[in-house]
Structures are given as structure tokens and as C-alpha cells.
Amino acid sequence: MNNTTPETPNATTLDAMESAEKGEDIFGPFEDIESLMQELNK
């Protein structure tokens, strides 16, 4: 049987979701892939 019920998010995921809802720790949008990669590699 195929279980398609999503798992409950872990604490790290829940913390990230809460921060995003508050507008914290959000980056972008980026004009191109190079800009995105530069930000990721900081």
C-alpha cells in the first residue's frame, strides 16, 4: 500500500516556517543563478 500522508515536519522545518511567516531570514528574489549562488556561498 502506498502511504501518501505527509510526515509531520521536524523542529528545524517548523522553526524555518515560523521565521518565514514573520519575514525573517528570507533572501531573494534573485535576478539570475549567479546572484543566487553568490549569496549561498557567503
Side-chain angles (χ1 to χ4, degrees):
M1 179 184 264
N2 187 6
N3 184 357
T4 57
T5 304
E7 294 181 28
T8 302
N10 64 25
T12 302
T13 301
L14 291 172
D15 288 345
M17 290 167 57
E18 184 176 334
S19 292
E21 288 174 350
K22 293 178 183 176
E24 302 170 346
D25 297 326
I26 297 177
F27 302 94
F30 298 97
E31 295 296 320
D32 52 37
I33 298 296
E34 184 178 345
S35 300
L36 168 66
M37 295 307 294
Q38 286 175 350
E39 193 64 35
L40 287 173
N41 290 321
K42 284 187 176 181

